[in-house]
Amino acid sequence: MTYAIIETGGKQIRVEPGRFYDIELLTNEPDEKVTIDSVLLVQHDGEVTIGQPLVTGATVEGTVMRHYRGRKVLVYKMKPKKKTRKKRGHRQEITRLMIDTITLNGAVFAAQGPTEEEVPVVDDTSAEEVETAPE
């Protein structure tokens, strides 16, 4: 299993190729490629590369899927016996990012390759042969 820990939007996220993640809003348009250079750790087949603070030559490439707003968070402040109440709401702007590749020094450790279609295996034995099998 190959993964990387990246820093984006003031948060550190563990990412794997072929999966999507919700991160802080990016300025890129949907279906646009994004390259993240702030990679803190890369792990590939048991070999761990740790940066101090960043791994040199490591990048994570992804595609912006869409932008949307998160769930509303209500903040309610009240001081008892003072008739003071404040109700505020906040919705965070979020970008959904699909991780395509993780590279280290030009070598692609993991890439989202084209998925092969599965062909169903047809059993050659017919239902009549199974029913008339000797006991």
Side-chain angles (χ1 to χ4, degrees), residues 85-98:
R85 289 171 173 82
K86 290 182 184 178
K87 184 176 180 181
R88 303 264 190 249
H90 176 75
R91 293 186 71 185
Q92 186 67 38
E93 300 287 334
I94 297 174
T95 297
R96 182 157 285 179
L97 182 69
M98 172 67 82

Side-chain angles (χ1 to χ4, degrees), residues 20-22 63-68 94-98:
F20 64 86
Y21 298 91
D22 294 334
T63 305
V64 174
M65 295 175 71
R66 68 184 186 120
H67 301 292
Y68 66 99
I94 297 174
T95 297
R96 182 157 285 179
L97 182 69
M98 172 67 82

Side-chain angles (χ1 to χ4, degrees), residues 39-90:
V39 179
L40 304 171
L41 180 138
V42 175
Q43 192 273 343
H44 176 66
D45 293 336
E47 181 181 328
V48 178
T49 306
I50 301 173
Q52 295 178 357
L54 301 176
V55 179
T56 56
T59 59
V60 173
E61 296 176 358
T63 305
V64 174
M65 295 175 71
R66 68 184 186 120
H67 301 292
Y68 66 99
R69 296 177 75 187
R71 295 182 58 155
K72 180 172 259 192
V73 177
L74 293 177
V75 179
Y76 190 75
K77 296 182 180 180
M78 181 185 98
K79 294 185 179 179
K81 301 176 189 172
K82 302 294 182 193
K83 292 186 180 180
T84 302
R85 289 171 173 82
K86 290 182 184 178
K87 184 176 180 181
R88 303 264 190 249
H90 176 75

